[in-house]
Amino acid sequence: MNDADNTQISASQPLEERLNNRSQRPSSDAFKAFMASNWAPFREQLPELDAVAGHAAGRRRAISELFKGERLVIPAGPLKVRSNDCDYRFRPHSGFAHLTGLGLDHEPDAVLILEPSDEGKGDDGGHHRATLYFRPLAGRDTEQFYADSRSGEFWIGARPTLAEFKAQLGLETADLAELELAITKNVGAPEIGGISIRLVRKVDENIDALVDTARYNTAKDPENLDLGVLDALDEKLSEALSELRLIKDEWEVEQMKTAVAATVQGFTEVVKALPRALSHPRGERVVEGAFFARAREEGNELGYDTIAAGGNNATVLHWTRNTGKVNAGELLLLDAGVEADSLYTADVTRTLPTNGTFSEIQRKVYEAVLDAADAGFAAAQPGIKFRDIHTAATTVLAERLAEWGLLPVSVEEAISAEGQQHRRWMPHGTSHHLGLDVHDCAQAKRELYLDGVLTPGMIFTIEPGLYFKAEDLAIPAEYRGIGVRIEDDILMTADGPVNLSAALPRKADDVESWMAGIYQEVEAQLP
Ligand code: GLY
Ligand code: MN
Ligand code: MN
């Protein structure tokens, strides 16, 4: 075949169709008819109402109260391509998960709409009626069922029907085919009887485009549409959804306990895997894999990429490459969290001596970090400001650094806004909210977050650290290459903070005896 022929053939087949070049798909009518016939009937039994349903309804009511008379559009997001026709595991947008109660991989392309209702006609006394639009299970007599590798039950397993999600979530459901009309109908200025929309943007670009088009088409003066004003409307919805998650309800607290319990098991598995990690050229990957196995066995996934950092890698704050060795006598910093099926995640760090015993200098740094964590914990009382946890913890670190002769200025100067020299070795925040996102409530206003007041129902981390890089010439050589962080997940209650991750030992002696106990148990089980 000459070049000219090649060109012709290439041009005749669109690139997106070439994914199918690797296999032959039968297309005869006989095949289609055969594939669409003779399947057992679908399951008939509807699922029970999920325990989360009442809580999710309460969350929707709270949002309804803030945006009376407006259409609220909350997408789950689409599947994301990893490469060619392989997608990443689907995870819905957290605001969508929060308001629907859906977890796991539910549900690509779905959209929750809160439609303003006439006074007194909303769901459960609210001002809106909620409908979940999604792509329901395609019947076994359809081509989608056996031929669509992204959404056909034949390919990906059980898919929900409209009736099933309705029964499970206590929520009206509708086919995705009705979504466009649901988003665009009657859009317009309220003064002429139109409905204005608020959208959680940048989750699904198709929905962004649909809303933009509806706004443009119904604007009085489309050419001069003020996108800044519309963006601000939308941002208020994202902000409200984020702030709604600042206080966890009882069901959410249970989910967090489930996630933390699985995470504790994951850390135990890592200790068991340490001997193998020590003898492996990429021991950090052995650690990562041991934890990941637990995350998939006990939960949905990891809540974030595991940091498995041996020796000096522990001083690299976002070390997730995990390609390093784990050397005996060094520390291993493990920052890892299991995400439960409900998508709530733990976020825990322990720093372990790889040979089971801290050296003197390792213990000295470790205990300073532990004292800082304890100071943060003691400060974390209902009614104090979130930011005061950080102040309490970092003040202890500044004091220790000064005692060791590492601070170039006095403690007072370092902790003043003009100083902050101690932050060279503790450059991150001490606390963040935790929940559906590892960095939960990230769109909340500053006055409700950093400047907010600790309130029962809040869940957040306390995670001070000290990181002395091997290449840091401002400190004596003995400190170099040591990185320590201790991170716990804290539930604020009316009686004070509760450490949800307290099952993992924190004191240096307790860490050593915990590790020794695990090895004794493993040995006792050997034949
Ligand atoms: N693992 C992320 C964090 O600790 O914030
Ligand atoms: Mn954290
Ligand atoms: Mn962490």
Side-chain angles (χ1 to χ4, degrees):
M1 192 184 292
N2 64 32
D3 280 347
D5 288 343
N6 255 332
T7 312
Q8 230 174 12
I9 286 171
S10 300
S12 68
Q13 190 185 30
L15 284 181
E16 61 270 20
E17 279 179 20
R18 296 184 197 181
L19 285 170
N20 298 327
N21 286 353
R22 68 166 185 263
S23 65
Q24 304 171 46
R25 176 182 293 183
S27 59
S28 71
D29 288 344
F31 171 76
K32 288 181 182 172
F34 187 49
M35 283 304 283
S37 67
N38 218 4
W39 299 106
F42 277 126
R43 54 199 176 261
E44 275 173 13
Q45 178 100 25
L46 289 178
E48 286 181 7
L49 188 67
D50 264 0
V52 67
H55 297 286
R59 300 166 199 160
R60 294 193 295 272
R61 263 198 313 280
I63 286 296
S64 172
E65 199 59 42
L66 296 176
F67 299 104
K68 290 179 196 166
E70 298 180 81
R71 179 174 299 148
L72 308 178
V73 181
I74 301 122
L79 285 164
K80 293 185 179 70
V81 172
R82 184 173 187 278
S83 76
N84 286 336
D85 58 347
C86 296
D87 298 312
Y88 287 104
R89 212 189 317 280
F90 181 74
R91 187 189 190 279
H93 182 264
S94 296
F96 171 90
H98 194 229
L99 291 194
T100 57
L102 280 172
L104 294 167
D105 56 352
H106 298 306
E107 186 58 34
D109 301 326
V111 179
L112 176 71
I113 296 192
L114 300 188
E115 181 70 8
S117 65
D118 293 339
E119 216 36 58
K121 298 244 176 84
D123 297 335
D124 302 318
H127 310 278
H128 292 79
R129 292 186 71 84
T131 304
L132 175 64
Y133 293 81
F134 69 100
R135 184 181 298 102
L137 168 68
R140 289 175 181 164
D141 54 350
T142 64
E143 197 162 328
Q144 192 192 109
F145 165 67
Y146 69 84
D148 186 332
S149 61
R150 271 182 137 187
S151 67
E153 186 164 288
F154 191 95
W155 286 85
I156 65 167
R159 301 255 313 110
T161 63
L162 294 177
E164 282 172 338
F165 261 2
K166 181 175 176 171
Q168 178 185 330
L169 303 172
L171 194 59
E172 251 342 295
T173 52
D175 195 309
L176 213 45
E178 296 168 36
L179 178 67
E180 183 169 342
L181 184 62
I183 290 181
T184 56
K185 74 179 171 207
N186 303 336
V187 171
E191 55 275 18
I192 52 165
I195 290 179
S196 70
I197 307 182
R198 291 199 198 233
L199 163 69
V200 179
R201 294 190 85 83
K202 296 191 179 144
V203 178
D204 186 330
E205 61 184 25
N206 290 327
I207 308 298
D208 289 1
L210 205 54
V211 169
D212 287 343
T213 307
R215 284 173 169 165
Y216 182 85
N217 287 343
T218 55
K220 268 194 242 148
D221 182 7
E223 297 314 317
N224 292 308
L225 200 59
D226 190 338
L227 294 177
V229 169
L230 295 170
D231 278 352
L233 282 181
D234 290 339
E235 281 173 10
K236 274 281 160 203
L237 176 58
S238 291
E239 175 188 283
L241 292 177
S242 216
E243 290 175 355
L244 185 64
R245 307 214 305 266
L246 284 165
I247 311 285
K248 271 65 182 175
D249 59 37
E250 279 166 41
W251 184 86
E252 292 179 290
V253 171
E254 285 310 309
Q255 297 309 308
M256 289 301 298
K257 287 180 179 171
T258 301
V260 171
T263 299
V264 169
Q265 291 191 29
F267 274 70
T268 305
E269 289 302 319
V270 165
V271 173
K272 287 185 195 163
L274 258 184
R276 199 168 91 78
L278 287 165
S279 64
H280 194 285
R282 293 207 298 188
E284 291 175 346
R285 288 288 175 91
V286 174
V287 168
E288 180 188 321
F291 188 86
F292 183 67
R294 274 291 163 167
R296 287 294 284 165
E297 285 169 37
E298 307 297 325
N300 181 51
E301 244 292 1
L302 299 168
Y304 55 91
D305 286 342
T306 297
I307 297 170
N312 187 51
N313 288 341
T315 70
V316 181
L317 295 179
H318 289 172
W319 178 255
T320 52
R321 202 174 286 143
N322 303 340
T323 45
K325 273 182 71 105
V326 174
N327 295 313
E330 292 184 341
L331 294 176
L332 171 76
L333 185 154
L334 175 64
D335 183 343
V338 173
E339 177 186 83
D341 287 352
S342 56
L343 308 179
Y344 287 78
T345 188
D347 178 12
V348 175
T349 306
R350 289 293 182 265
T351 307
L352 311 173
T354 52
N355 59 5
T357 316
F358 289 98
S359 71
E360 202 177 317
I361 183 83
Q362 288 167 350
R363 182 177 275 260
K364 177 168 136 177
V365 177
Y366 186 92
E367 289 183 337
V369 173
L370 184 62
D371 288 348
D374 286 346
F377 193 78
Q381 296 299 325
I384 80 141
K385 285 202 169 160
F386 189 84
R387 61 161 62 249
D388 292 340
I389 302 173
H390 177 73
T391 306
T394 51
T395 300
V396 168
L397 294 178
E399 285 166 0
R400 291 305 150 82
L401 291 163
E403 273 171 37
W404 302 339
L406 305 187
L407 261 193
V409 296
S410 69
V411 172
E412 291 67 37
E413 203 175 329
I415 60 179
S416 72
E418 292 71 38
Q420 298 290 306
Q421 288 83 348
H422 56 296
R423 299 292 301 282
R424 177 182 175 110
W425 300 291
M426 159 60 183
H428 58 76
T430 304
S431 295
H432 56 80
H433 281 272
L434 183 65
L436 277 166
D437 289 331
V438 62
H439 295 158
D440 212 31
C441 313
Q443 284 79 38
K445 288 187 282 293
R446 191 182 178 90
E447 56 261 41
L448 294 181
Y449 203 130
L450 203 52
D451 294 332
V453 167
L454 294 179
T455 307
M458 286 183 169
I459 295 183
F460 51 87
T461 64
I462 296 183
E463 51 174 307
L466 280 173
Y467 313 93
F468 297 121
K469 289 187 184 287
E471 57 272 27
D472 188 342
L473 301 185
I475 51 171
E478 57 174 339
Y479 292 96
R480 294 183 201 150
I482 294 180
V484 173
R485 176 163 63 253
I486 303 169
E487 176 173 26
D488 284 287
D489 299 345
I490 311 297
L491 166 68
M492 185 51 65
T493 73
D495 301 326
V498 173
N499 185 354
L500 298 177
S501 42
L504 280 176
R506 300 168 73 247
K507 292 192 178 125
D509 285 346
D510 294 346
V511 170
E512 288 178 353
S513 48
W514 172 66
M515 292 176 73
I518 291 172
Y519 294 128
Q520 270 169 11
E521 216 174 279
V522 169
E523 267 170 37
Q525 285 166 1
L526 292 177

